[in-house]
Amino acid sequence: MSQATTFEDLKAKAEVYYGDEICREKFRHLLTEIGFPDGLVITLQEIEEYGHVRDTGFVWLKHKKKNKEEKKKNEFFKFDNIFIWHDTEVTAYFEPNKIKNLTGVKAKDFLIWITLSEIYVNGDHGAASPSSMITFRTPAGLSKSFPSSVFELGNTPLMVHKEIAEAKEGDSSKIEM
């Protein structure tokens, strides 16, 4: 007899952390542990909660809810003319070199927002290999790959992340759409 697992059941078995700084640290550590670069998931939103159920690989991030004024500002970062957006709650199952059943993440390419459902590293040695690629896949099976090196902490996405944060404070013309 199978029984549906509720979020509360998963949370009871999870390592749960609260607060932006510790959540980001734990999440970056998990990314490197499963073979991804630590700069893969960048969010401008404050992370309130991070949870990880090691037995199943289930992970969630809860971002601070936005008020009406904050909702007017786009919460995304740009990489190679693609914008990545995170919802207030992101969930996924993590396993070595793969993030699957992803919810709460969208990418904008060619004027449309597309839901992402899976991210994986091509290559036997994960993101540590200089030739490895990271592939983002949609539920429809469309995908796009990038060199994993660009997602290392301190590379392009974080620089763009800073550019968007600065643009949000002042001149929004710095962000190309």
Side-chain angles (χ1 to χ4, degrees), residues 48-177:
E48 288 187 328
E49 182 178 311
Y50 157 79
H52 180 208
V53 182
R54 289 213 178 261
D55 294 345
T56 63
F58 183 71
V59 174
W60 73 89
L61 291 174
K62 287 188 180 180
H63 296 98
K64 183 179 177 184
K65 290 193 185 338
K66 301 172 227 152
N67 63 33
K68 286 183 182 181
E69 197 59 36
E70 291 172 324
K71 284 183 181 180
K72 292 179 184 176
K73 298 177 181 178
N74 288 321
E75 298 286 353
F76 56 80
F77 74 92
K78 179 181 170 189
F79 169 73
D80 195 34
N81 292 321
I82 296 175
F83 294 87
I84 305 293
W85 171 84
H86 300 91
D87 201 353
T88 54
E89 186 168 306
V90 175
T91 64
Y93 285 87
F94 283 54
E95 56 188 52
N97 298 324
K98 190 177 213 176
I99 299 172
K100 60 184 184 177
N101 299 346
L102 180 64
T103 66
V105 181
K106 292 184 180 184
K108 183 178 181 183
D109 193 12
F110 301 115
L111 304 174
I112 59 171
W113 285 100
I114 302 168
T115 299
L116 297 178
S117 62
E118 189 175 305
I119 304 170
Y120 59 91
V121 176
N122 299 333
D124 296 333
H125 302 291
S129 171
S131 63
S132 66
M133 300 288 283
I134 295 184
T135 301
F136 296 83
R137 180 174 285 169
T138 70
L142 301 172
S143 63
K144 192 159 192 171
S145 299
F146 302 96
S148 64
S149 60
V150 299
F151 294 101
E152 292 295 335
L153 205 54
N155 283 350
T156 305
L158 283 180
M159 287 186 254
V160 173
H161 171 250
K162 183 180 177 197
E163 173 187 317
I164 290 173
E166 289 170 357
K168 288 171 78 175
E169 296 297 322
D171 181 12
S172 61
S173 66
K174 293 180 185 175
I175 303 173
E176 294 179 20
M177 294 190 81

Side-chain angles (χ1 to χ4, degrees), residues 12-66:
K13 300 175 185 176
E15 299 171 21
V16 183
Y17 299 91
Y18 301 94
D20 189 61
E21 188 176 332
I22 188 72
C23 290
R24 286 180 191 277
E25 178 185 323
K26 293 293 184 180
F27 190 68
R28 282 193 306 263
H29 177 73
L30 175 62
L31 285 170
T32 57
E33 187 178 296
I34 65 163
F36 283 90
D38 58 0
L40 179 68
V41 178
I42 300 164
T43 176
L44 295 172
Q45 297 162 280
E46 182 178 337
I47 301 172
E48 288 187 328
E49 182 178 311
Y50 157 79
H52 180 208
V53 182
R54 289 213 178 261
D55 294 345
T56 63
F58 183 71
V59 174
W60 73 89
L61 291 174
K62 287 188 180 180
H63 296 98
K64 183 179 177 184
K65 290 193 185 338
K66 301 172 227 152

